[in-house]
Amino acid sequence: MRTVIDYERARDRHPELAARALEELSQKSERTNRGPLNLNEVVWSYYWAVGIKGPNLKGDTLDRCFVTLCAKAPMLSTSFPLSDRDGKPTPRDLLPIEVIETHERLERVATEEGTPHITSFDTIDAGKNTKALVIAGARDNKGLDVLFAKIVGKPEMSLPQIYESKDGGGLNFKGYPRKTFRERLMDAEEGDQFSYMNKRYTRLTEEEICDLVLGETPGPKM
């Protein structure tokens, strides 16, 4: 997820990180023979993501949020995490208001859309911050998990997307599932097996999906 801010906010909130970012961009600009850095061309933003599963990532969604301050100029970029906590989420008191407000807005939009789903996670679609609503999931015979999710705000007839689990937690967008896979997944009961393209899959239970996405058991569904 990306939220653009201005230099004044970056400087006032994170003076040391902003100074380091400008110093590093200036050095890169000189090393690549681009000349002095043009401060008017530097774009500041927060890159942020909510951790998916993994150790120490339980609790409220914003308790699992990782935020990085990023500075970009033409062909140059650098970034620094808001806190140095050995891979742990950004403390709640350091979360920028823009991140909190964007996350809360996405939660409202997901609720208002009314699509029945098990859980959801933040993502980017077509360059915009949005939510993916998880409808179902499956695990293949090698232990690889895939999630079947609808993007909030897309037309009702648009195809849900497939996200694949990766080592160390997190999800990777993998594209759109074929009709046969969708049908066999949705026809299977939770915990039942089905086959597709010479592979055996097991449909995930709601508990398994919530454990994969949130690291916890499910709460009330819509």
Side-chain angles (χ1 to χ4, degrees), residues 39-176:
L39 298 182
N40 293 325
E41 293 183 337
V42 179
V43 177
W44 299 84
S45 59
Y46 293 119
Y47 275 87
W48 54 283
V50 174
I52 299 175
K53 203 179 177 183
N56 304 316
L57 293 184
K58 294 188 178 183
D60 185 90
T61 306
L62 287 177
D63 291 329
R64 298 181 280 112
C65 191
F66 298 80
V67 185
T68 298
L69 177 66
C70 180
K72 287 188 174 183
M75 306 298 292
L76 303 170
S77 67
T78 188
S79 61
F80 300 94
L82 294 195
S83 65
D84 185 11
R85 285 163 48 89
D86 297 325
K88 294 182 180 179
T90 304
R92 180 69 78 103
D93 60 346
L94 293 183
L95 292 179
I97 185 63
E98 295 87 353
V99 170
I100 296 173
E101 289 179 346
T102 300
H103 175 76
E104 291 177 345
R105 177 179 59 80
L106 295 177
E107 291 281 2
R108 288 196 300 273
V109 171
T111 300
E112 291 167 0
E113 176 160 308
T115 299
H117 61 283
I118 297 168
T119 186
S120 65
F121 58 89
D122 297 331
T123 188
I124 294 178
D125 182 69
K128 295 181 179 180
N129 297 334
T130 186
K131 283 270 184 184
L133 308 179
V134 182
I135 300 169
R139 178 172 295 136
D140 69 15
N141 52 9
K142 294 183 179 179
L144 180 67
D145 296 311
V146 295
L147 294 179
F148 191 49
K150 184 181 184 300
I151 299 299
V152 167
K154 284 202 168 184
E156 189 63 33
M157 295 302 293
S158 64
L159 290 175
Q161 301 175 351
I162 283 287
Y163 290 82
E164 205 171 71
S165 62
K166 61 182 181 179
D167 292 340
L171 297 166
N172 284 332
F173 170 67
K174 297 298 290 184
Y176 298 90

Side-chain angles (χ1 to χ4, degrees), residues 195-213:
S195 61
Y196 174 73
M197 298 288 287
N198 297 320
K199 267 189 175 183
R200 297 290 295 174
Y201 289 88
T202 302
R203 179 165 177 172
L204 298 176
T205 65
E206 291 187 10
E207 289 77 11
E208 288 171 324
I209 289 173
C210 287
D211 184 57
L212 175 64
V213 176

Side-chain angles (χ1 to χ4, degrees), residues 19-37 76-78 80:
R20 287 173 61 190
L22 288 177
E23 181 181 4
E24 188 165 308
L25 286 180
S26 295
Q27 292 173 351
K28 289 181 177 180
S29 185
E30 293 290 345
R31 285 199 305 267
T32 54
N33 298 317
R34 288 184 170 83
L37 180 68
L76 303 170
S77 67
T78 188
F80 300 94

